[in-house]
Amino acid sequence: MNYQQAIQSCSSTKQKQEEINSPITISLQSEFEQLTLDTSPKLDPLTNQHSGILDFIDEVDQEEKFKKHQSLSLQKDLIRRNNKNKTNEGQSSPHSNQSLNDQKFKYIKELWLQESPIQEINKQVLSQRVISINEEQYFKDLQSDNVIGMGVYHSNEASPLMYFEPDIETDIYISSLIDSLWGNQIISRKLQKLIESGTPEQQLLIVQKLERISPQIEKDVFGNYVVQKIFDSCGDLKLKTRMFNKLKTHFYDLSKNPFGCRVMQKLIEYSQGKEDVQNSILSQLVQNMRSLIYDSNGNYVIFKMLESYDKPKMEFIIPIVEESFHYMAQQIYGCKIIHKIIQQYTPNLIANLVKQSIANYSVLSQTEFGNYILQHILQFWIPSPEKTRLIQLVIQQFYQLSINKYASNTVERALEALSKSELITVLNWLLFRNQTQQQFSYVASNFVQLANHQYANYVIKKFLILIDQQMQQSILNFLIKNQQEYQVLKSTLHGQRICSLLEKQVKC
């Protein structure tokens, strides 16, 4: 080979290399890889978020790099004078983009239509869960970026759509909420809002999901509120009945649970005016009523039944309460049950309960709710030897009961039941100087000692309101005569209020 032939061979090799590395060739390869190997993050159709962070081709950066490369190549082509370079320059002009796009999508369509195992799987999935679409429309929308993620087709036109069934999306969303409900206050409020203002389909799905985890979810600190909301705000009676039947065999277990008993109270409210539902609840609980009385949570359920059901339906509980009186009298909610029974049943049915209450007056009078039992007997019970006996017991311990926070309320009710002669007896005792009970450096009268006490001053105030003006004047004369008593009375804020009330009553 001579020197001239070697030069021509090198020149032809260089031209072929330039054709391979030409801008149009690089552009075609880059865009083909971008379309066929697109690994950019897709939007999830259920959460509307990116399904993950994947390696992807930055289209913006690639386009900028291509434009920069194209401008540099164009300058080199202007220097070249051969026709081949001019032809290449013409092929890389913007006018050729449309034909290039047509070629690209034609090739992609051919790949898409080829039979492959992946395509067969896609056909099976589409036949079960999605609606078929027009392929030509699909590839047109593919070019306009209408396909935005994971097999979900979106289009603004009235052409056939490819999408997951809306029930599936709702089912997945509600299932995720139910799975996260345990101990989650935020999720609990979301579900309550869906029950209150959601669609019937959403309410049905929630009930279906809750049925699978009942009665455990009723015992959850926040899950119990969701179940309560079904009976409180759900308008579909069938859903309420369905949930009620699911819980029916678990009434006793729920009544003894601190959170389950709240669901039971809501069920009792729901059963008002529904005779068959009330009988169903009673049939499940009547055999275990004694056990519920001794349970701190079961007491709430019994009280709710007394409060909501007709009186004849709950008469069976009176003998049970009589047997458990000594225990219930020491419990807050036990006292409320006794009070409720005495309040709403006739005297012949509760005579034994009244006798037991009077016999245990010293315990009941000094408890937060027990004193209400004695107050009710003193205020509403018919005149009887039992009531007279209770008044005498209270007056005998007038001082000790008056200085107690709760028993002072019982003393006030006892004063209201006294006659005028009995009030005069109390007045004489108040103006007497008790040598054994000394609260100040000066031995004051019972009246001054009680008037200066933080609880007993309410008893003295009630006494001053009940007595007549003549008795009030005698108290004021006693204080004026004994100035030291008067000064001791005015030394405290409680005593000053009693002085003001006494002076006001006498002037009237």
Side-chain angles (χ1 to χ4, degrees):
M1 179 183 295
N2 56 23
Y3 180 77
Q4 186 175 2
Q5 290 177 346
I7 294 297
Q8 291 179 356
S9 177
C10 292
S11 176
S12 61
T13 303
K14 185 176 180 181
Q15 289 178 359
K16 291 180 181 179
Q17 187 67 27
E18 288 178 353
E19 289 177 0
I20 293 174
N21 296 329
S22 63
I24 186 63
T25 306
I26 295 173
S27 174
L28 181 59
Q29 291 178 352
S30 174
E31 294 185 9
F32 177 78
E33 290 176 355
Q34 182 176 347
L35 291 170
T36 57
L37 302 176
D38 186 11
T39 58
S40 59
K42 303 298 183 180
L43 291 177
D44 188 82
L46 303 180
T47 62
N48 203 25
Q49 296 178 354
H50 288 298
S51 58
I53 301 175
L54 305 173
D55 295 333
F56 62 94
I57 299 174
D58 193 337
E59 298 181 4
V60 179
D61 293 344
Q62 189 70 19
E63 186 176 355
E64 291 178 357
K65 290 178 180 180
F66 173 71
K67 289 180 179 180
K68 183 177 180 181
H69 179 76
Q70 188 178 19
S71 62
L72 294 174
S73 300
L74 186 60
Q75 293 177 2
K76 292 179 180 179
D77 290 337
L78 291 176
I79 298 173
R80 298 188 183 115
R81 299 301 180 182
N82 56 56
N83 295 330
K84 190 172 184 178
N85 289 337
K86 291 182 180 179
T87 305
N88 290 337
E89 181 183 354
Q91 291 178 353
S92 61
S93 63
H95 298 288
S96 63
N97 288 339
Q98 185 63 35
S99 60
L100 179 61
N101 288 338
D102 293 340
Q103 294 175 5
K104 288 189 297 183
F105 287 109
K106 182 179 179 180
Y107 182 69
I108 294 171
K109 182 178 178 180
E110 290 175 357
L111 292 176
W112 177 267
L113 295 176
Q114 287 179 358
E115 293 294 335
S116 65
I118 297 176
Q119 185 183 3
E120 293 297 324
I121 296 173
N122 288 338
K123 285 183 178 180
Q124 294 177 6
V125 174
L126 293 177
S127 64
Q128 295 176 3
R129 301 184 62 182
V130 302
I131 301 174
S132 61
I133 65 165
N134 185 293
E135 292 180 352
E136 295 293 339
Q137 180 65 32
Y138 176 80
F139 286 106
K140 289 181 181 179
D141 291 329
L142 178 65
Q143 186 175 359
S144 60
D145 295 331
N146 279 338
V147 178
I148 63 173
M150 295 184 66
V152 179
Y153 176 76
H154 299 266
S155 176
N156 296 327
E157 301 178 2
S159 60
L161 300 179
M162 182 173 70
Y163 59 91
F164 290 112
E165 297 178 7
D167 289 343
I168 296 176
E169 181 179 348
T170 306
D171 186 280
I172 293 174
Y173 175 68
I174 291 178
S175 296
S176 65
L177 291 180
I178 296 294
D179 293 340
S180 305
L181 176 57
W182 304 92
N184 194 318
Q185 186 178 17
I186 297 175
I187 298 297
S188 176
R189 289 178 177 175
K190 284 184 178 180
L191 287 170
Q192 291 178 59
K193 189 174 181 180
L194 279 175
I195 293 171
E196 186 175 2
S197 57
T199 62
E201 291 78 11
Q202 291 173 334
Q203 295 174 353
L204 176 60
L205 278 172
I206 292 173
V207 171
Q208 289 175 343
K209 303 299 181 184
L210 290 175
E211 281 180 329
R212 300 175 185 175
I213 54 176
S214 293
Q216 289 77 20
I217 195 61
E218 282 78 11
K219 301 175 184 179
D220 183 69
V221 59
F222 298 117
N224 74 91
Y225 292 108
V226 179
V227 181
Q228 289 185 56
K229 201 68 175 178
I230 294 174
F231 295 97
D232 192 29
S233 301
C234 183
D236 193 340
L237 184 60
K238 292 182 180 179
L239 294 182
K240 293 181 180 179
T241 305
R242 181 172 174 173
M243 200 69 197
F244 179 87
N245 293 333
K246 178 64 179 179
L247 300 175
K248 186 176 180 179
T249 57
H250 306 283
F251 285 165
Y252 174 67
D253 188 30
L254 292 175
S255 297
K256 300 188 72 173
N257 184 268
F259 304 113
C261 70
R262 300 177 184 177
V263 177
M264 284 303 304
Q265 292 177 72
K266 184 60 67 175
L267 286 174
I268 293 170
E269 288 182 7
Y270 161 73
S271 66
Q272 284 184 308
K274 302 178 180 65
E275 191 74 17
D276 56 337
V277 179
Q278 292 181 6
N279 293 335
S280 180
I281 294 176
L282 286 172
S283 65
Q284 295 292 326
L285 297 179
V286 67
Q287 300 298 328
N288 300 297
M289 200 60 69
R290 284 181 173 83
S291 176
L292 293 179
I293 282 179
Y294 285 93
D295 186 80
S296 58
N297 300 309
N299 280 333
Y300 289 90
V301 178
I302 294 175
F303 184 83
K304 196 67 179 181
M305 294 168 71
L306 287 169
E307 197 174 43
S308 304
Y309 291 171
D310 295 335
K311 296 177 184 178
K313 199 178 287 293
M314 295 299 297
E315 282 184 9
F316 73 93
I317 202 173
I318 296 177
I320 302 175
V321 173
E322 290 175 357
E323 295 174 7
S324 311
F325 184 88
H326 293 286
Y327 171 80
M328 297 180 69
Q330 301 175 24
Q331 306 297 322
I332 292 177
Y333 238 78
C335 290
K336 294 186 73 173
I337 291 174
I338 296 171
H339 181 214
K340 192 68 179 178
I341 292 174
I342 293 176
Q343 196 175 33
Q344 65 183 21
Y345 286 98
T346 57
N348 59 330
L349 291 174
I350 60 172
N352 290 332
L353 275 180
V354 172
K355 290 179 181 180
Q356 287 181 303
S357 300
I358 295 173
N360 295 274
Y361 85 98
S362 59
V363 176
L364 293 176
S365 62
Q366 299 183 50
T367 58
E368 183 177 1
F369 294 97
N371 75 91
Y372 288 107
I373 299 174
L374 300 179
Q375 287 186 59
H376 184 83
I377 295 173
L378 291 168
Q379 187 174 5
F380 299 106
W381 189 248
I382 57 175
S384 62
E386 290 83 6
K387 184 175 181 178
T388 303
R389 174 61 178 164
L390 178 59
I391 294 172
Q392 290 175 354
L393 291 171
V394 172
I395 298 303
Q396 287 174 7
Q397 295 188 340
F398 192 93
Y399 188 91
Q400 291 82 0
L401 296 177
S402 295
I403 61 177
N404 183 272
K405 179 179 181 180
Y406 303 115
S408 59
N409 298 318
T410 306
V411 177
E412 291 183 43
R413 291 298 181 190
L415 290 175
E416 293 176 354
L418 295 178
S419 62
K420 184 177 180 180
S421 59
E422 291 172 330
L423 289 173
I424 292 174
T425 303
V426 174
L427 175 61
N428 293 332
W429 177 84
L430 287 173
L431 297 181
F432 175 75
R433 293 182 180 179
N434 193 341
Q435 301 292 334
T436 59
Q437 298 176 5
Q438 183 174 351
Q439 184 174 348
F440 305 97
S441 57
Y442 172 76
V443 181
S445 62
N446 292 326
F447 178 85
V448 174
Q449 291 185 46
L450 294 176
N452 285 327
H453 193 271
Q454 58 176 336
Y455 303 128
N457 75 91
Y458 294 102
V459 177
I460 298 299
K461 186 183 295 184
K462 173 66 72 173
F463 179 77
L464 293 176
I465 293 174
L466 293 173
I467 62 178
D468 56 24
Q469 191 171 11
Q470 184 178 358
M471 296 172 68
Q472 294 169 356
Q473 185 65 53
S474 64
I475 296 174
L476 184 59
N477 293 337
F478 171 80
L479 294 174
I480 294 173
K481 184 179 179 180
N482 299 276
Q483 285 295 319
Q484 194 169 3
E485 294 263 348
Y486 214 173
Q487 295 299 323
V488 172
L489 182 62
K490 291 183 177 181
S491 63
T492 63
L493 181 61
H494 303 302
Q496 292 173 10
R497 292 174 179 173
I498 294 297
C499 286
S500 300
L501 177 62
L502 178 61
E503 292 171 358
K504 183 179 179 180
Q505 293 284 354
V506 170
K507 288 181 181 179
C508 294

Tab-separated table of all heavy atoms in Angstrom, residues 22-24 26-28 30-31 34 58-77 92-94 97:
chain	number	residue	atom	x	y	z
A	22	SER	N	-22.015	11.341	15.606
A	22	SER	CA	-22.740	12.554	15.225
A	22	SER	C	-23.835	12.866	16.239
A	22	SER	O	-24.337	11.977	16.917
A	22	SER	CB	-23.353	12.380	13.833
A	22	SER	OG	-24.304	11.334	13.853
A	23	PRO	N	-24.265	14.137	16.327
A	23	PRO	CA	-25.301	14.528	17.315
A	23	PRO	C	-26.596	13.793	17.121
A	23	PRO	O	-27.272	13.446	18.086
A	23	PRO	CB	-25.458	16.037	17.077
A	23	PRO	CG	-24.161	16.453	16.473
A	23	PRO	CD	-23.681	15.302	15.648
A	24	ILE	N	-27.014	13.533	15.881
A	24	ILE	CA	-28.297	12.865	15.657
A	24	ILE	C	-28.242	11.435	16.165
A	24	ILE	O	-29.211	10.912	16.729
A	24	ILE	CB	-28.672	12.926	14.155
A	24	ILE	CG1	-30.084	12.358	13.963
A	24	ILE	CG2	-27.649	12.145	13.308
A	24	ILE	CD1	-31.147	13.137	14.657
A	26	ILE	N	-26.210	10.262	18.613
A	26	ILE	CA	-26.193	10.332	20.090
A	26	ILE	C	-27.580	10.631	20.634
A	26	ILE	O	-28.037	10.056	21.611
A	26	ILE	CB	-25.173	11.389	20.551
A	26	ILE	CG1	-23.760	10.950	20.154
A	26	ILE	CG2	-25.280	11.612	22.045
A	26	ILE	CD1	-22.698	11.990	20.422
A	27	SER	N	-28.292	11.558	19.979
A	27	SER	CA	-29.641	11.925	20.425
A	27	SER	C	-30.591	10.752	20.347
A	27	SER	O	-31.377	10.493	21.241
A	27	SER	CB	-30.154	13.091	19.568
A	27	SER	OG	-31.499	13.369	19.878
A	28	LEU	N	-30.525	10.016	19.224
A	28	LEU	CA	-31.420	8.868	19.048
A	28	LEU	C	-31.159	7.804	20.108
A	28	LEU	O	-32.085	7.268	20.700
A	28	LEU	CB	-31.212	8.285	17.651
A	28	LEU	CG	-32.099	7.068	17.298
A	28	LEU	CD1	-33.558	7.449	17.408
A	28	LEU	CD2	-31.775	6.542	15.912
A	30	SER	N	-29.763	8.224	23.084
A	30	SER	CA	-30.114	8.726	24.417
A	30	SER	C	-31.608	8.690	24.649
A	30	SER	O	-32.095	8.230	25.681
A	30	SER	CB	-29.576	10.149	24.587
A	30	SER	OG	-30.018	10.681	25.802
A	31	GLU	N	-32.386	9.170	23.662
A	31	GLU	CA	-33.836	9.218	23.852
A	31	GLU	C	-34.452	7.839	23.821
A	31	GLU	O	-35.449	7.573	24.508
A	31	GLU	CB	-34.456	10.108	22.773
A	31	GLU	CG	-34.045	11.564	22.908
A	31	GLU	CD	-34.763	12.458	21.907
A	31	GLU	OE1	-35.690	11.976	21.248
A	31	GLU	OE2	-34.382	13.612	21.801
A	34	GLN	N	-33.957	6.408	27.179
A	34	GLN	CA	-34.832	7.088	28.153
A	34	GLN	C	-36.244	6.533	28.102
A	34	GLN	O	-36.923	6.402	29.111
A	34	GLN	CB	-34.842	8.589	27.885
A	34	GLN	CG	-35.695	9.373	28.884
A	34	GLN	CD	-35.602	10.847	28.634
A	34	GLN	OE1	-34.745	11.279	27.893
A	34	GLN	NE2	-36.470	11.593	29.258
A	58	ASP	N	-32.101	12.132	34.159
A	58	ASP	CA	-32.564	13.492	34.337
A	58	ASP	C	-32.829	14.098	32.963
A	58	ASP	O	-31.909	14.475	32.232
A	58	ASP	CB	-31.502	14.289	35.095
A	58	ASP	CG	-32.063	15.614	35.590
A	58	ASP	OD1	-33.057	16.094	35.003
A	58	ASP	OD2	-31.497	16.157	36.557
A	59	GLU	N	-34.090	14.195	32.624
A	59	GLU	CA	-34.454	14.644	31.287
A	59	GLU	C	-34.045	16.096	31.034
A	59	GLU	O	-33.624	16.461	29.947
A	59	GLU	CB	-35.954	14.486	31.080
A	59	GLU	CG	-36.415	13.035	31.175
A	59	GLU	CD	-37.907	12.904	30.940
A	59	GLU	OE1	-38.524	13.939	30.629
A	59	GLU	OE2	-38.434	11.795	31.064
A	60	VAL	N	-34.178	16.904	32.058
A	60	VAL	CA	-33.848	18.331	31.886
A	60	VAL	C	-32.367	18.504	31.620
A	60	VAL	O	-31.942	19.189	30.685
A	60	VAL	CB	-34.281	19.125	33.122
A	60	VAL	CG1	-33.900	20.604	32.953
A	60	VAL	CG2	-35.789	18.984	33.350
A	61	ASP	N	-31.540	17.846	32.472
A	61	ASP	CA	-30.091	17.957	32.272
A	61	ASP	C	-29.672	17.353	30.934
A	61	ASP	O	-28.794	17.878	30.239
A	61	ASP	CB	-29.361	17.245	33.409
A	61	ASP	CG	-29.570	17.949	34.728
A	61	ASP	OD1	-30.002	19.122	34.681
A	61	ASP	OD2	-29.302	17.343	35.781
A	62	GLN	N	-30.293	16.258	30.545
A	62	GLN	CA	-29.931	15.611	29.289
A	62	GLN	C	-30.254	16.509	28.102
A	62	GLN	O	-29.504	16.600	27.131
A	62	GLN	CB	-30.684	14.279	29.175
A	62	GLN	CG	-30.236	13.400	28.020
A	62	GLN	CD	-28.848	12.846	28.247
A	62	GLN	OE1	-28.388	12.833	29.374
A	62	GLN	NE2	-28.172	12.444	27.192
A	63	GLU	N	-31.414	17.169	28.190
A	63	GLU	CA	-31.808	18.049	27.091
A	63	GLU	C	-30.858	19.238	26.972
A	63	GLU	O	-30.495	19.663	25.880
A	63	GLU	CB	-33.236	18.531	27.332
A	63	GLU	CG	-33.796	19.339	26.175
A	63	GLU	CD	-35.242	19.726	26.408
A	63	GLU	OE1	-35.808	19.293	27.418
A	63	GLU	OE2	-35.771	20.492	25.568
A	64	GLU	N	-30.449	19.797	28.143
A	64	GLU	CA	-29.515	20.922	28.116
A	64	GLU	C	-28.159	20.488	27.532
A	64	GLU	O	-27.551	21.217	26.733
A	64	GLU	CB	-29.335	21.463	29.528
A	64	GLU	CG	-30.602	22.154	30.066
A	64	GLU	CD	-30.403	22.642	31.483
A	64	GLU	OE1	-29.309	22.374	32.041
A	64	GLU	OE2	-31.318	23.302	32.008
A	65	LYS	N	-27.715	19.273	27.936
A	65	LYS	CA	-26.446	18.793	27.399
A	65	LYS	C	-26.540	18.572	25.896
A	65	LYS	O	-25.611	18.873	25.120
A	65	LYS	CB	-26.052	17.489	28.084
A	65	LYS	CG	-25.657	17.661	29.541
A	65	LYS	CD	-25.327	16.326	30.169
A	65	LYS	CE	-24.942	16.503	31.632
A	65	LYS	NZ	-24.619	15.209	32.267
A	66	PHE	N	-27.666	18.077	25.408
A	66	PHE	CA	-27.839	17.829	23.985
A	66	PHE	C	-27.824	19.135	23.188
A	66	PHE	O	-27.217	19.243	22.130
A	66	PHE	CB	-29.160	17.076	23.766
A	66	PHE	CG	-29.503	16.914	22.315
A	66	PHE	CD1	-28.782	16.046	21.498
A	66	PHE	CD2	-30.555	17.638	21.759
A	66	PHE	CE1	-29.098	15.907	20.166
A	66	PHE	CE2	-30.872	17.490	20.425
A	66	PHE	CZ	-30.145	16.620	19.620
A	67	LYS	N	-28.527	20.160	23.752
A	67	LYS	CA	-28.543	21.461	23.065
A	67	LYS	C	-27.141	22.051	22.988
A	67	LYS	O	-26.736	22.632	21.960
A	67	LYS	CB	-29.486	22.412	23.787
A	67	LYS	CG	-30.964	22.046	23.629
A	67	LYS	CD	-31.849	23.023	24.355
A	67	LYS	CE	-33.325	22.687	24.176
A	67	LYS	NZ	-34.201	23.635	24.887
A	68	LYS	N	-26.406	21.911	24.091
A	68	LYS	CA	-25.040	22.444	24.093
A	68	LYS	C	-24.172	21.711	23.074
A	68	LYS	O	-23.410	22.314	22.315
A	68	LYS	CB	-24.450	22.295	25.502
A	68	LYS	CG	-23.068	22.886	25.653
A	68	LYS	CD	-22.589	22.770	27.086
A	68	LYS	CE	-21.185	23.356	27.239
A	68	LYS	NZ	-20.692	23.235	28.626
A	69	HIS	N	-24.314	20.391	23.033
A	69	HIS	CA	-23.549	19.599	22.076
A	69	HIS	C	-23.949	19.925	20.642
A	69	HIS	O	-23.109	20.007	19.741
A	69	HIS	CB	-23.764	18.113	22.363
A	69	HIS	CG	-23.043	17.205	21.404
A	69	HIS	ND1	-21.684	16.983	21.477
A	69	HIS	CD2	-23.510	16.486	20.345
A	69	HIS	CE1	-21.335	16.160	20.512
A	69	HIS	NE2	-22.425	15.824	19.809
A	70	GLN	N	-25.229	20.145	20.444
A	70	GLN	CA	-25.729	20.455	19.106
A	70	GLN	C	-25.181	21.796	18.607
A	70	GLN	O	-24.827	21.957	17.435
A	70	GLN	CB	-27.261	20.475	19.137
A	70	GLN	CG	-27.903	20.597	17.761
A	70	GLN	CD	-29.405	20.566	17.856
A	70	GLN	OE1	-29.941	20.808	18.921
A	70	GLN	NE2	-30.062	20.277	16.758
A	71	SER	N	-25.119	22.786	19.527
A	71	SER	CA	-24.596	24.102	19.120
A	71	SER	C	-23.113	24.030	18.760
A	71	SER	O	-22.648	24.662	17.808
A	71	SER	CB	-24.822	25.112	20.246
A	71	SER	OG	-24.113	24.722	21.400
A	72	LEU	N	-22.351	23.215	19.542
A	72	LEU	CA	-20.925	23.058	19.229
A	72	LEU	C	-20.737	22.332	17.896
A	72	LEU	O	-19.877	22.693	17.091
A	72	LEU	CB	-20.223	22.289	20.341
A	72	LEU	CG	-20.146	23.003	21.689
A	72	LEU	CD1	-19.564	22.079	22.750
A	72	LEU	CD2	-19.298	24.275	21.574
A	73	SER	N	-21.541	21.313	17.656
A	73	SER	CA	-21.417	20.562	16.400
A	73	SER	C	-21.786	21.431	15.212
A	73	SER	O	-21.211	21.314	14.122
A	73	SER	CB	-22.322	19.332	16.443
A	73	SER	OG	-21.968	18.503	17.514
A	74	LEU	N	-22.756	22.326	15.433
A	74	LEU	CA	-23.190	23.196	14.343
A	74	LEU	C	-22.071	24.128	13.912
A	74	LEU	O	-21.879	24.409	12.726
A	74	LEU	CB	-24.424	23.987	14.775
A	74	LEU	CG	-25.097	24.854	13.711
A	74	LEU	CD1	-25.554	23.973	12.543
A	74	LEU	CD2	-26.267	25.622	14.301
A	75	GLN	N	-21.287	24.624	14.872
A	75	GLN	CA	-20.172	25.503	14.529
A	75	GLN	C	-19.100	24.759	13.728
A	75	GLN	O	-18.526	25.270	12.775
A	75	GLN	CB	-19.566	26.085	15.806
A	75	GLN	CG	-20.516	27.033	16.536
A	75	GLN	CD	-19.908	27.534	17.822
A	75	GLN	OE1	-18.770	27.207	18.142
A	75	GLN	NE2	-20.672	28.352	18.546
A	76	LYS	N	-18.883	23.486	14.145
A	76	LYS	CA	-17.891	22.700	13.394
A	76	LYS	C	-18.376	22.411	11.984
A	76	LYS	O	-17.620	22.415	11.028
A	76	LYS	CB	-17.601	21.394	14.130
A	76	LYS	CG	-16.884	21.577	15.447
A	76	LYS	CD	-16.647	20.237	16.116
A	76	LYS	CE	-15.926	20.417	17.446
A	76	LYS	NZ	-15.705	19.117	18.134
A	77	ASP	N	-19.675	22.190	11.848
A	77	ASP	CA	-20.233	21.880	10.528
A	77	ASP	C	-20.162	23.089	9.594
A	77	ASP	O	-20.062	22.947	8.372
A	77	ASP	CB	-21.683	21.418	10.661
A	77	ASP	CG	-21.760	20.048	11.313
A	77	ASP	OD1	-20.744	19.315	11.253
A	77	ASP	OD2	-22.815	19.711	11.889
A	92	SER	N	-29.964	17.169	11.550
A	92	SER	CA	-30.042	17.486	12.977
A	92	SER	C	-30.829	18.752	13.244
A	92	SER	O	-30.819	19.258	14.337
A	92	SER	CB	-28.619	17.641	13.554
A	92	SER	OG	-27.944	18.704	12.896
A	93	SER	N	-31.498	19.275	12.237
A	93	SER	CA	-32.274	20.503	12.433
A	93	SER	C	-33.543	20.202	13.217
A	93	SER	O	-34.014	19.070	13.261
A	93	SER	CB	-32.622	21.102	11.065
A	93	SER	OG	-33.446	20.207	10.350
A	94	PRO	N	-34.153	21.197	13.823
A	94	PRO	CA	-35.364	20.986	14.635
A	94	PRO	C	-36.513	20.445	13.824
A	94	PRO	O	-37.439	19.844	14.385
A	94	PRO	CB	-35.666	22.388	15.174
A	94	PRO	CG	-34.372	23.101	15.130
A	94	PRO	CD	-33.650	22.569	13.940
A	97	ASN	N	-37.472	16.673	14.199
A	97	ASN	CA	-37.877	16.103	15.496
A	97	ASN	C	-39.170	15.308	15.388
A	97	ASN	O	-39.336	14.259	16.008
A	97	ASN	CB	-38.037	17.214	16.539
A	97	ASN	CG	-36.692	17.771	16.954
A	97	ASN	OD1	-35.666	17.119	16.778
A	97	ASN	ND2	-36.698	18.989	17.484
